[in-house]
Amino acid sequence: MEAFSDGVFAIAATLLILEISVDSPSQLTHIWPAYLAYVTSFLTIGIIWINHHHTVSLMGRVDRTFLFVNNLLLLTIAFLPFPTKLVGDNLQKPGERSAVLAYAATFVLMAVMHQVWWQYARRGRRLIGDNVPESALRSVDLAYAPGVVIYGIAFLVAFASPLASVLLTFAIAAFYLPSAALFDR
Amino acid sequence: MEAFSDGVFAIAATLLILEISVDSPSQLTHIWPAYLAYVTSFLTIGIIWINHHHTVSLMGRVDRTFLFVNNLLLLTIAFLPFPTKLVGDNLQKPGERSAVLAYAATFVLMAVMHQVWWQYARRGRRLIGDNVPESALRSVDLAYAPGVVIYGIAFLVAFASPLASVLLTFAIAAFYLPSAALFDR
Amino acid sequence: MEAFSDGVFAIAATLLILEISVDSPSQLTHIWPAYLAYVTSFLTIGIIWINHHHTVSLMGRVDRTFLFVNNLLLLTIAFLPFPTKLVGDNLQKPGERSAVLAYAATFVLMAVMHQVWWQYARRGRRLIGDNVPESALRSVDLAYAPGVVIYGIAFLVAFASPLASVLLTFAIAAFYLPSAALFDR
Amino acid sequence: MEAFSDGVFAIAATLLILEISVDSPSQLTHIWPAYLAYVTSFLTIGIIWINHHHTVSLMGRVDRTFLFVNNLLLLTIAFLPFPTKLVGDNLQKPGERSAVLAYAATFVLMAVMHQVWWQYARRGRRLIGDNVPESALRSVDLAYAPGVVIYGIAFLVAFASPLASVLLTFAIAAFYLPSAALFDR
């Protein structure tokens, strides 16, 4: 499972760049929304990948349902290059609200799937390794808990200000996620 | 062989997103055929990958012919992003029948190649590990047997209704394949 | 070195599909040159990858020059999707000669680099593992020796008939390479 | 960390080819700037990857900050296909200065991030394995030290001559980096 998951994370992050294009080099500074969306999506995928990896290391077994849920989680992550391009192409332009709503909705979906993925493994220690202490599980609980809420807020903010929503998503990836992440616990 | 195969599966699944495009954010809900085709192809590749991985774990050796057949199998899987895009671009439009026939034909070809791949390894236990019980082989037989038939039905359905054919292919990936798969047997 | 090389082989093969496009589903049978080029390039990369893997397993060490030569070899393989698209787009059309010459030239370059790569490692057993018998090296010599010549012939044939050149390259991948390859020696 | 990093390096290098396109086979020799940019970027990624791999082998642990810095480094490397395409499309054309400045700026950023990445691990032997001698660290210091300066020079040269800047970047990848690299020290 890890080889396929690692591959999808690394490929999705690296494909993001293919979604940036510019008509002429003189426009290179005008397409800052594309850079902002690129950096936001890349950093988020990197951190989710680290969390995914750490959490898998706590598991002692996998089952059929979990592999299917893992596929669904990867499906949402592999989807990210599409709304990232939408934001890069449309931010500060007429269609920006729909574009950013699609972007934020993708992050909400990723957070929901990650939570489902974790709760399935953790409930009754269904897939947890025998020697893993409860404190390690609570640490993951704390790291995953706020995801749906904070991306839900970014979704709501998009109605008021699409740019503010993207900046909030960037700030989550640059400041909140790294400190909440499971990096070296 | 596993590293190359893992790579092709993960890359083919993640490339699918590059085939979705939209002229303007206001059309985001109009392109539901693209989302349907994306989800269907992604889930199918994920499950085939899990089956491929499990089946390889039953083998104690590989030979020249098998590696070549494996290449042919990967060739059909890496082809999938092309008909996936065809379906996403053309479903509910004039060219939908040809597009969905190409899509279903690709799945039939994948199922045929997967069956050839497995039968080559299994016939007379040619490549099977010495300690693998017959029951494990019969379990794989059962999981692989219906593939050609059910995708053949999806192909025939496309003549009557292209949309029904794609929905059937989606249902196979979402409901039938996960339960028939070799996940944790 | 293997992880990077494996990745480049698998990615180059899987990216080939992105180079196929069609204006409308009604043209699906008209673009057979694209399918021919896809299958030819995919099979060739798969077989080169198997040979590369086998040959690396004979080596007991690597050095700085070899890693650089390996990079050059990968550079030629990662280039293949570009002339593959050229052939797919132009075969049986006015620009076909230039397209097929570029395609064949890429294969010649790949064969030259693979030969340089192997000869550097083999000369005086520079990088060969201590326990590897001379017969294993001669087996690799035999498998690699004809590459430059047969792709050189395909290059020359392109002047007379571009289609014949592509068919010859396909035949090499489908019939000659699998039997000459190092698969299970 | 290695699996994700390896993936990003290999994918970024292999994606470079997708950025080359040509209107007609008769223009194949006219697009030499695209080939030059492709070779330059591919070789540079290959060598940075080798250095990255070697340096990681000196580390005995990683921490949260380091993983985040590693993500930032990968972000700059995965960005390279975009300015590579800019150079390929615009060199020897009106927009060449902006294109090459963006290309050189990306290399400067990569060199800066690689230096930050290394200094974070090395300062006070924060992440260095216990048995790694000081001489191995000084060897890395020497290899990494000139990066920012030489790419800074390439950036400045672009104001005078964009072509000379790209040729200098190519020469660094073909002649300087291989000899300065950590290949087999």
Side-chain angles (χ1 to χ4, degrees), chain B residues 36-116:
Chain B
L36 175 62
Y38 170 78
V39 172
T40 300
S41 294
F42 194 100
L43 289 181
T44 306
I45 292 177
I47 293 165
I48 292 179
W49 177 77
I50 292 167
N51 282 349
H52 186 274
H53 224 260
H54 173 81
T55 311
V56 167
S57 75
L58 305 178
M59 300 182 190
R61 64 202 82 90
V62 294
D63 68 13
R64 171 192 303 229
T65 306
F66 186 69
L67 286 170
F68 191 69
V69 172
N70 191 61
N71 260 1
L72 290 175
L73 172 61
L74 295 177
L75 187 154
T76 62
I77 287 159
F79 189 76
L80 194 56
F82 176 64
T84 302
K85 180 183 176 57
L86 280 176
V87 169
D89 287 350
N90 294 287
L91 196 61
Q92 305 286 75
K93 291 186 188 153
E96 64 173 349
R97 180 152 295 117
S98 305
V100 175
L101 285 172
Y103 191 57
T106 304
F107 282 103
V108 171
L109 206 59
M110 282 164 56
V112 168
M113 283 310 308
H114 218 153
Q115 186 70 359
V116 169

Side-chain angles (χ1 to χ4, degrees), chain C residues 82-131:
Chain C
F82 176 64
T84 301
K85 179 181 175 59
L86 280 176
V87 169
D89 288 350
N90 294 287
L91 196 62
Q92 304 286 76
K93 292 188 187 151
E96 63 172 349
R97 180 153 294 118
S98 305
V100 175
L101 285 173
Y103 191 57
T106 303
F107 281 103
V108 171
L109 206 60
M110 282 164 57
V112 168
M113 283 311 309
H114 218 155
Q115 187 70 359
V116 169
W117 180 87
W118 167 240
Q119 289 303 326
Y120 180 82
R122 187 222 200 291
R123 198 63 56 82
R125 299 181 65 98
R126 191 186 272 124
L127 307 177
I128 306 298
D130 293 337
N131 300 320

Side-chain angles (χ1 to χ4, degrees), chain D residues 7-184:
Chain D
V8 171
F9 279 102
I11 300 157
T14 317
L15 289 184
L16 292 167
I17 198 63
L18 295 182
E19 306 287 23
I20 302 186
S21 60
V22 68
D23 292 333
S24 134
S26 62
Q27 316 257 297
L28 272 171
T29 54
H30 301 177
I31 60 165
W32 60 264
Y35 307 140
L36 175 62
Y38 170 78
V39 171
T40 301
S41 294
F42 193 100
L43 289 182
T44 306
I45 291 177
I47 293 165
I48 292 179
W49 177 77
I50 293 167
N51 282 349
H52 186 273
H53 223 262
H54 172 80
T55 310
V56 167
S57 75
L58 305 178
M59 300 183 190
R61 65 201 81 93
V62 294
D63 67 14
R64 173 193 300 228
T65 306
F66 187 69
L67 286 170
F68 191 69
V69 173
N70 191 61
N71 260 3
L72 289 174
L73 172 60
L74 295 176
L75 187 156
T76 62
I77 288 158
F79 189 76
L80 195 54
F82 176 63
T84 302
K85 179 182 176 59
L86 280 176
V87 169
D89 287 350
N90 293 288
L91 196 61
Q92 305 287 72
K93 293 187 185 154
E96 63 174 348
R97 180 152 297 118
S98 306
V100 175
L101 285 173
Y103 191 57
T106 303
F107 282 103
V108 171
L109 206 59
M110 282 165 56
V112 167
M113 282 312 307
H114 218 154
Q115 187 69 359
V116 168
W117 181 87
W118 167 238
Q119 290 303 329
Y120 180 82
R122 188 221 200 291
R123 198 61 56 83
R125 300 180 65 100
R126 190 185 275 125
L127 308 177
I128 305 299
D130 293 336
N131 300 320
V132 175
E134 273 296 311
S135 61
L137 305 186
R138 278 192 297 269
S139 167
V140 178
D141 288 341
L142 284 173
Y144 282 21
V148 179
V149 172
I150 58 180
Y151 286 119
I153 292 172
F155 183 83
L156 294 176
V157 167
F159 287 100
S161 164
L163 177 57
S165 173
V166 178
L167 289 173
L168 175 57
T169 308
F170 168 74
I172 294 166
F175 304 111
Y176 174 74
L177 279 188
S179 68
L182 299 164
F183 282 159
D184 57 341

Side-chain angles (χ1 to χ4, degrees), chain A residues 59-140:
Chain A
M59 300 181 191
R61 65 202 82 92
V62 293
D63 68 14
R64 170 193 301 229
T65 305
F66 187 69
L67 287 169
F68 191 69
V69 172
N70 191 61
N71 260 1
L72 289 175
L73 172 61
L74 295 176
L75 187 154
T76 62
I77 288 159
F79 189 76
L80 195 54
F82 176 63
T84 302
K85 180 182 176 56
L86 279 176
V87 169
D89 287 350
N90 293 288
L91 196 61
Q92 304 288 72
K93 291 185 187 156
E96 63 174 347
R97 181 151 295 119
S98 305
V100 175
L101 285 172
Y103 192 55
T106 304
F107 281 103
V108 171
L109 206 59
M110 282 164 57
V112 168
M113 284 310 308
H114 218 153
Q115 186 69 359
V116 168
W117 181 88
W118 167 239
Q119 290 302 328
Y120 180 82
R122 188 224 201 289
R123 198 61 57 83
R125 300 180 64 100
R126 191 187 273 122
L127 308 177
I128 306 299
D130 293 337
N131 300 320
V132 175
E134 274 295 311
S135 61
L137 305 186
R138 279 192 297 267
S139 167
V140 178

Side-chain angles (χ1 to χ4, degrees), chain C residues 23-153:
Chain C
D23 292 333
S24 133
S26 61
Q27 315 257 298
L28 272 171
T29 53
H30 302 178
I31 60 166
W32 60 265
Y35 307 139
L36 175 63
Y38 170 78
V39 172
T40 301
S41 295
F42 194 99
L43 289 181
T44 307
I45 292 178
I47 293 165
I48 292 178
W49 177 78
I50 292 167
N51 282 349
H52 186 273
H53 223 261
H54 173 81
T55 311
V56 167
S57 75
L58 305 178
M59 300 182 191
R61 65 201 82 92
V62 294
D63 67 14
R64 172 193 301 230
T65 306
F66 187 69
L67 287 170
F68 191 70
V69 172
N70 191 61
N71 261 1
L72 290 174
L73 172 61
L74 295 176
L75 188 155
T76 62
I77 288 159
F79 189 76
L80 194 55
F82 176 64
T84 301
K85 179 181 175 59
L86 280 176
V87 169
D89 288 350
N90 294 287
L91 196 62
Q92 304 286 76
K93 292 188 187 151
E96 63 172 349
R97 180 153 294 118
S98 305
V100 175
L101 285 173
Y103 191 57
T106 303
F107 281 103
V108 171
L109 206 60
M110 282 164 57
V112 168
M113 283 311 309
H114 218 155
Q115 187 70 359
V116 169
W117 180 87
W118 167 240
Q119 289 303 326
Y120 180 82
R122 187 222 200 291
R123 198 63 56 82
R125 299 181 65 98
R126 191 186 272 124
L127 307 177
I128 306 298
D130 293 337
N131 300 320
V132 174
E134 273 296 311
S135 61
L137 305 186
R138 279 193 296 269
S139 167
V140 178
D141 288 342
L142 284 173
Y144 283 20
V148 179
V149 172
I150 58 179
Y151 287 118
I153 292 171

Side-chain angles (χ1 to χ4, degrees), chain C residues 3-27:
Chain C
F4 188 68
S5 304
D6 282 357
V8 171
F9 279 102
I11 300 158
T14 317
L15 289 184
L16 291 166
I17 198 63
L18 294 183
E19 306 287 24
I20 301 186
S21 60
V22 68
D23 292 333
S24 133
S26 61
Q27 315 257 298

Side-chain angles (χ1 to χ4, degrees), chain A residues 153-178:
Chain A
I153 292 171
F155 183 83
L156 294 176
V157 167
F159 287 101
S161 163
L163 177 58
S165 173
V166 178
L167 289 174
L168 175 58
T169 309
F170 168 73
I172 295 166
F175 304 110
Y176 174 73
L177 280 187

